């Protein structure tokens, strides 16, 4: 859309079914997952498809709902049925991947200081060096990770079906844990506080925690 007046400039149906993935932009290229199970690369000016690549062989109704992450000209995106983190070149070549088992269908990777943090199907949170491709640490958790991890200062925050947790981003050591019914809501960090949505059957709640010790505010 034209930002000034909302006029539609172009449309791309992404294989005819659209997307639940948040697009990522680098230069004149847009990268986005599709409900068909593909990741698409589009020309940002014209909307034409530059290339598309199937990374999810069992797309069901959500396809590739993971949102792409771009770091040092590499596109990182997850497929849920095998819990694979795919590292692609801007031209769509698969550079490397790491599979961990079935994960929640809306989770994505996060990055800080050339380290990639992503939910694994073990269940565990993985930290991978984006240059060496080495797994620096893996922090096992008791239940499925339901949302994209959040990085703030030296910590990484993750949500599971049973809790929100803070880990040391350098080592994966757990710093604190608080009970919530985790949803697909990713934590947001601001001024020493963590805000997160939860899934409590018929009622959803927004919770606020002290980022340093996990006490509920």
């Amino acid at each position: 859309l034209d930002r000034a007046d909302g006029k539609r400039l172009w449309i791309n149906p992404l294989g005819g079914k659209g997307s639940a993935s948040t697009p990522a932009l680098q230069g004149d290229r847009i990268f986005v997952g599709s409900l068909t199970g593909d990741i698409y690369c589009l020309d940002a000016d014209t909307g034409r498809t530059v290339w598309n690549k199937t990374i999810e062989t069992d797309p069901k109704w959500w396809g590739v709902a993971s949102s792409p992450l771009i770091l040092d000209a590499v596109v990182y995106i997850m497929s849920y049925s095998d819990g694979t983190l795919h590292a692609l070149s801007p031209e769509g070549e698969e550079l490397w991947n790491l599979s961990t088992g079935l994960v929640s269908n809306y989770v994505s990777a996060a990055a800080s200081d050339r380290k990639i943090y992503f939910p694994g199907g073990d269940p565990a949170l993985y930290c991978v060096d984006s240059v060496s491709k080495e797994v620096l640490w893996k922090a096992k958790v008791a239940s499925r990770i339901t949302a994209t991890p959040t990085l703030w200062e030296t910590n990484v925050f993750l949500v599971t079906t049973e809790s929100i947790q803070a880990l040391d981003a350098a080592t994966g050591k757990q710093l604190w844990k608080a009970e919530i019914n985790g949803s697909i809501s990713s934590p947001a960090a601001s001024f020493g506080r963590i805000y997160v949505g939860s899934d409590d059957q018929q009622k959803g709640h927004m919770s606020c925690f002290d980022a340093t010790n996990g006490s509920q505010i």
Side-chain angles (χ1 to χ4, degrees):
L1 307 180
D2 187 297
R3 185 165 55 183
D5 58 14
K7 179 183 177 181
R8 190 172 76 190
L9 303 176
W10 54 258
I11 184 169
N12 187 314
L14 301 177
K17 293 188 175 181
S19 173
S21 167
T22 301
L25 176 68
Q26 183 176 54
D28 61 352
R29 293 289 184 262
I30 295 172
F31 302 91
V32 64
S34 76
L35 295 184
T36 62
D38 288 14
I39 177 174
Y40 275 76
C41 173
L42 310 180
D43 184 292
D45 293 323
T46 66
R48 86 178 163 84
T49 298
V50 179
W51 56 260
N52 58 292
K53 180 183 181 70
T54 300
I55 62 170
E56 179 54 73
T57 57
D58 185 24
K60 292 190 164 55
W61 63 269
W62 45 75
V64 179
S66 176
S67 299
L69 166 73
I70 301 174
L71 179 66
D72 295 333
V74 177
V75 182
Y76 298 91
I77 192 166
M78 295 191 69
S79 50
Y80 79 92
S81 65
D82 50 10
T84 298
L85 176 71
H86 301 266
L88 307 175
S89 73
E91 293 74 37
E93 176 191 0
E94 185 129 13
L95 303 174
W96 59 273
N97 64 63
L98 179 61
S99 299
T100 65
L102 179 71
V103 295
S104 293
N105 42 297
Y106 291 109
V107 298
S108 305
S112 177
D113 193 27
R114 296 193 175 183
K115 296 180 179 66
I116 309 293
Y117 301 82
F118 69 99
D122 311 16
L125 185 71
Y126 284 73
C127 175
V128 177
D129 187 297
S130 65
V131 178
S132 68
K133 291 82 170 174
E134 176 189 1
V135 177
L136 300 177
W137 53 259
K138 181 175 74 170
K140 292 187 177 182
V141 292
S143 59
R144 181 169 51 95
I145 300 172
T146 59
T148 302
T150 297
L151 290 148
W152 179 74
E153 293 192 346
T154 59
N155 298 347
V156 56
F157 301 90
L158 65 137
V159 171
T160 74
T161 56
E162 299 174 348
S163 68
I164 179 170
Q165 303 178 32
L167 308 181
D168 185 300
T171 64
K173 178 183 177 182
Q174 186 183 98
L175 303 175
W176 57 259
K177 177 179 178 180
E179 291 185 2
I180 64 168
N181 293 321
S183 72
I184 61 174
S185 170
S186 295
S190 180
F191 295 100
R193 296 185 177 191
I194 300 295
Y195 304 87
V196 66
S198 62
D199 182 11
D200 299 316
Q201 295 184 4
Q202 300 302 316
K203 294 182 179 180
H205 291 91
M206 178 74 127
S207 298
C208 176
F209 296 91
D210 186 301
T212 58
N213 58 31
S215 61
Q216 188 173 66
I217 297 170

